[in-house]
C-alpha cells in the first residue's frame, strides 16, 4: 500500500501553517482522523503495522495510546494483534490512566500513536504505564514525521529532539520528512502568519 497516497486520497495531507502536538510548527499536517474514518482502510493499515511487530518477534500483551489522536490507530492495532487496548488521557495537563483501566505487573505494552513527531505524548503514556509496573516493549505509529530517524525497519533515536526511550523500536508504515520549526524560529511566523491546530477552527 502507498501510505502517502492514502493520506492524499483522504485529503489528510494538509498544507498551511500548523501547530503540532509537539509544540513545533510546520507547513504540513497529517490529519489521520480523515484516513481512519474509513474502517476498512483502518483495518488494513493496522494489519500491516501488526505484521511488522510480529516479524520483529516482539511479544505484546496490551496496546496503549494517548488520547485523543492515538485511540483509533491503537485500538485497530490491538485488534490486529489480538490483545487488549487501553488509553491514557490528560487531566489538568497531566497524562493519566483512568476509566478503570488496570496494569498487571510486568505486562508488556506497546505504545501506539497515529503520528509520531518527537514522541512526546507517546513517552508520557509510556511513563504512566511504567510507573504502574508495565514494561514498554516498543512504539508504533501509522506515520513517522522523521524527528525520530529511520534505521531499516526499526528506527534509532540519535536525533536530539526525539523523546522516545532509547533502545526501544519504533514501527511506522511511512516516514513523512517535513521540516518543522520551534515557534521562535518559524519562518511562517516571521512572515506574520498564525499557526493553527486542525480542529481548532472547524477543520
Amino acid at each position: 500500500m502507498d501510505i502517502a497516497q492514502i493520506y492524499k486520497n483522504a485529503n489528510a495531507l494538509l498544507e498551511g501553517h500548523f501547530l503540532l502536538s509537539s509544540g513545533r510548527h510546520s507547513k504540513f499536517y497529517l490529519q489521520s482522523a480523515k484516513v481512519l474514518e474509513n474502517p476498512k482502510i483502518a483495518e488494513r493499515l493496522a494489519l500491516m503495522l501488526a505484521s511488522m511487530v510480529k516479524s520483529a518477534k516482539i511479544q505484546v500483551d496490551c496496546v496503549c495510546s494517548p488520547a485523543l489522536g492515538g485511540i483509533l490507530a491503537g485500538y485497530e492495532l490491538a485488534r490486529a494483534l489480538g490483545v487488549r487496548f487501553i488509553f491514557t488521557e490528560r487531566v489538568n495537563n497531566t497524562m493519566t490512566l483512568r476509566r478503570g483501566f488496570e496494569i498487571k505487573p510486568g505486562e508488556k505494552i506497546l505504545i501506539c500513536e497515529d503520528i509520531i513527531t518527537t514522541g512526546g505524548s507517546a513517552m508520557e503514556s509510556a511513563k504512566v504505564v511504567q510507573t504502574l509496573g508495565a514494561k514498554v516493549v516498543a512504539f508504533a505509529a501509522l506515520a513517522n514525521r522523521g524527528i525520530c530517524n529511520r534505521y531499516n525497519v526499526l528506527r534509532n533515536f540519535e536525533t536530539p529532539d526525539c523523546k522516545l526511550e532509547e533502545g526501544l523500536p519504533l514501527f511506522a508504515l511511512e516516514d513523512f520528512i517535513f521540516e518543522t520549526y520551534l515557534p521562535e524560529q518559524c519562518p511562517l511566523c516571521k512572515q506574520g502568519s498564525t499557526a493553527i491546530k486542525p480542529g481548532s477552527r472547524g477543520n
Side-chain angles (χ1 to χ4, degrees):
M1 294 175 69
D2 185 334
I3 306 302
Q5 191 60 50
I6 287 174
Y7 271 81
K8 291 175 183 177
N9 291 346
N11 294 319
L13 177 52
L14 311 179
E15 186 170 356
H17 183 191
F18 303 105
L19 171 63
L20 308 179
S21 59
S22 64
R24 299 176 72 92
H25 292 194
S26 176
K27 295 179 181 179
F28 298 97
Y29 192 92
L30 295 170
Q31 183 63 286
S32 293
K34 289 290 294 177
V35 174
L36 296 173
E37 71 179 355
N38 185 321
K40 291 184 178 179
I41 290 179
E43 180 182 32
R44 290 172 65 191
L45 294 176
L47 287 170
M48 290 176 61
L49 199 52
S51 178
M52 295 172 67
V53 175
K54 290 175 181 178
S55 294
K57 301 187 184 307
I58 292 177
Q59 182 182 342
V60 177
D61 299 321
C62 174
V63 174
C64 177
S65 293
L68 179 66
I71 289 181
L72 289 178
Y75 179 83
E76 285 294 331
L77 178 58
R79 192 160 71 96
L81 289 171
V83 301
R84 76 185 186 107
F85 172 73
I86 61 176
F87 61 87
T88 60
E89 54 193 307
R90 285 190 176 85
V91 179
N92 297 324
N93 211 34
T94 300
M95 196 68 82
T96 308
L97 190 69
R98 302 175 63 205
R99 303 178 191 274
F101 290 138
E102 296 180 352
I103 299 295
K104 301 173 184 176
E107 190 169 17
K108 296 177 175 63
I109 293 185
L110 181 150
I111 306 296
C112 181
E113 273 273 37
D114 56 342
I115 306 293
I116 288 283
T117 302
T118 62
S121 295
M123 257 328 288
E124 286 183 71
S125 290
K127 289 177 180 177
V128 169
V129 298
Q130 286 170 336
T131 298
L132 295 172
K135 179 180 180 182
V136 174
V137 294
F139 298 93
L142 300 180
N144 170 37
R145 289 181 61 98
I147 298 295
C148 300
N149 290 336
R150 181 172 185 166
Y151 181 70
N152 295 324
V153 176
L154 308 184
R155 274 73 168 173
N156 62 35
F157 308 128
E158 297 175 357
T159 307
D161 289 337
C162 183
K163 298 178 181 178
L164 297 181
E165 186 173 334
E166 188 175 355
L168 293 180
L170 166 60
F171 300 95
L173 297 179
E174 185 67 76
D175 291 325
F176 289 85
I177 311 300
F178 300 142
E179 193 166 3
T180 64
Y181 314 95
L182 293 171
E184 61 271 19
Q185 298 173 351
C186 177
L188 300 172
C189 288
K190 292 177 180 178
Q191 294 169 8
S193 175
T194 300
I196 65 168
K197 189 172 182 62
S200 63
R201 296 190 180 181
N203 54 343

